[in-house]
Amino acid sequence: MAMELAINTDRTQKFIDDLEAQRTILSSCTQLFTALTNNFTSLQNSLSEKSQFLDSKFQSLESNSQQNLESLSQRETSIPERESAAAAKVEEQKGNALAEFENPKKFDKLSDWLKSICRKMDSSGLLKFIISKRKESVSLRAEISPAIMEAVDPARLVLDAVDEFVSNKIEKVGVTDKRWACGMLLQALFPESSYFGGKHKGPEFAGTVVERAGKILERWKEEQVDGKEGGGSGSGGGGVVGPAEAVMFLQMVLGFGLKSRFDEEFLRKLVMENAARRDMAKLAVAIGFGEKMEEMIDELVKNGKEIEAAYFASESGLTEKFPPVSLLKSHIKNSKKNTANILKNGNFSPAAMEESNAAELNSIKAVIKCVEDHKLELDFPLDSLRKRATRLEKTKAERKKSSAAAAAKSQSKRGHGAISGPSGRGNRPPAFHPSKAPKFSNAYSPFGRRNPAPLSQHSPVARYSGPYDYSSQGGYESHSGAGAPYAATYGGSHSQSPAAIPQQHYPLPVENAGGAAFRASGSYGGQANYGSYDYGTAAPPPTYQTSSYTQ
């Protein structure tokens, strides 16, 4: 009886186990069915959304197509009227040009002279006239844009001028002045708004004009590869040399729609090598480098060009990734190291002190200008920077004044000594003739040996040579810590002024002078206003240039 009961228990347990297995299978099937149902529902919703999106796209396409067809129809119906208007304008301009040739007149106004030359389509005469009126650059820039519109073919007139400039670059003749004049013409032909997203979209050109512009740019670019040894701003020898020419080149690329004809890497390199130009950031955005813009800004930061990076980030809308305030603080930190290295490498000499102060002043001006352009005064106070800039300017002015006074005093002493004493010949002091310098030797000893500076007098500039703390900019201070030795060395009176000592001068070549002038007038720290480049404000070459953003 016990054996039969045990057998029945095993069968029951087996039955229960089978039920548990079946329940597990049912549960798994239920979960799988639920997952499949959810998946199908999600797919159905996704397909429904895509279908609706496509329907809206089709409706938008139909609407745009209808608008385009209507626009084309209106343009087609207006063709005869536009043709007659264009023909009338050409005839009028042709008549005006013939009248200029038949009855040449003399004009009193600058605008009348410009219009007369443009009507004649005389590109060479236009370049010469613009160059001759360089001192009137402000008025010239205002009048040149309406003047070239008086020409029968403004684009051809400007291209003739640029072609002449490129040819002169190859021949290394008359490059500097014509570069400046061509820059004025290109800026007049292509207003800033025509490729910087403004309402004015710029003129449209015939295919032959665009093709000629492309050939001129290709020749300009090829000369850069073949004539690299002629590099240096304004040195001639062909090629896109210097910031001013880079801007002109890119203006033509954008204005004539020739971006597809040039390698993007070439254009990127052209922008990066001349990033210190105030308008280069806008040109870079107009060209459209896309995702490479972040890499370009990062490269500027790594190369110590934080000011340029701030402008590029602002123009391209990448200020969140590259905050201008952080970039400016980094620039101040690097500028602090730079001025310290100048003093150290110059053994804290007066010349090193002057160079250090100049570098610091240029750096401060560039930071102030950048903050004002981007309206960052609340996040980056400028009071301490402005005070420091004022002190450096005052120091510079006093140093020049004291140097001029010392030179005048030295000349006065020599003049007085020449006429003093009795007039008789026998009472005159014996004439002093310096011994002839030996061959292959230096006839002049250093300033320090000929004119030892006594330590009893001090220059007023010593008051400003001590440390200066920019508390609001995280401890940015002056590196003219060697105030005492500087005052003792520089401020002492001399028996003979260095300004009165004959020195050998090495004038810059004309080509180099022009390039330097463009660098000085077109950099972030060179002028007070940041905006479109003024080709009419080029100045003579500075005798001193400092950090990268002033080059």
Side-chain angles (χ1 to χ4, degrees), residues 428-436 496:
R428 292 180 181 178
F432 175 75
H433 300 282
S435 59
K436 186 176 181 180
Q496 184 177 4

Side-chain angles (χ1 to χ4, degrees), residues 101 116-127 157 160:
F101 282 108
S116 176
I117 298 173
C118 291
R119 291 190 190 107
K120 297 177 183 178
M121 291 292 291
D122 184 6
S123 60
S124 297
L126 182 59
L127 287 176
L157 177 65
D160 287 343

Side-chain angles (χ1 to χ4, degrees), residues 7 116 125 143 165 182 244 248 311 319 455 462 469 483 516:
I7 293 173
S116 176
E143 299 293 344
F165 162 69
C182 287
M248 293 165 58
Y311 279 98
T319 53
L455 303 179
D469 180 29

Side-chain angles (χ1 to χ4, degrees), residues 44-79:
Q44 185 177 3
N45 293 335
S46 178
L47 290 174
S48 177
E49 292 177 358
K50 290 182 178 181
S51 177
Q52 294 176 1
F53 178 76
L54 290 175
D55 290 340
S56 63
K57 283 290 184 181
F58 278 122
Q59 292 177 0
S60 176
L61 180 61
E62 290 178 359
S63 175
N64 292 335
S65 299
Q66 186 66 25
Q67 292 178 0
N68 292 334
L69 289 174
E70 292 176 357
S71 176
L72 289 174
S73 177
Q74 293 177 359
R75 293 179 63 181
E76 185 177 1
T77 55
S78 65
I79 286 177

Side-chain angles (χ1 to χ4, degrees), residues 46-170:
S46 178
L47 290 174
S48 177
E49 292 177 358
K50 290 182 178 181
S51 177
Q52 294 176 1
F53 178 76
L54 290 175
D55 290 340
S56 63
K57 283 290 184 181
F58 278 122
Q59 292 177 0
S60 176
L61 180 61
E62 290 178 359
S63 175
N64 292 335
S65 299
Q66 186 66 25
Q67 292 178 0
N68 292 334
L69 289 174
E70 292 176 357
S71 176
L72 289 174
S73 177
Q74 293 177 359
R75 293 179 63 181
E76 185 177 1
T77 55
S78 65
I79 286 177
E81 181 181 355
R82 292 169 60 189
E83 285 182 348
S84 59
K89 182 178 180 181
V90 170
E91 287 297 328
E92 180 184 359
Q93 291 176 333
K94 180 181 177 181
N96 293 336
L98 291 175
E100 294 290 345
F101 282 108
E102 294 174 357
N103 301 313
K105 300 178 182 179
K106 292 184 178 180
F107 303 99
D108 296 329
K109 294 182 179 181
L110 178 65
S111 59
D112 294 335
W113 274 111
L114 284 171
K115 290 178 180 179
S116 176
I117 298 173
C118 291
R119 291 190 190 107
K120 297 177 183 178
M121 291 292 291
D122 184 6
S123 60
S124 297
L126 182 59
L127 287 176
K128 292 178 182 178
F129 182 80
I130 292 175
I131 293 170
S132 68
K133 299 295 181 179
R134 190 164 187 168
K135 292 183 179 180
E136 305 176 37
S137 58
V138 177
S139 302
L140 192 64
R141 186 178 63 166
E143 299 293 344
I144 198 169
S145 182
I148 63 174
M149 292 300 124
E150 293 287 327
V152 176
D153 191 347
R156 177 187 167 191
L157 177 65
V158 175
L159 284 179
D160 287 343
V162 176
D163 195 6
E164 180 177 341
F165 162 69
V166 175
S167 299
N168 289 152
K169 277 184 63 65
I170 299 173

Side-chain angles (χ1 to χ4, degrees), residues 47 59 63 98 122 295 325 407 425 457 487 508 524:
L47 290 174
Q59 292 177 0
S63 175
L98 291 175
D122 184 6
E295 299 177 3
V325 173
R425 181 175 181 178
Q457 299 180 9
L508 290 172
Y524 291 115

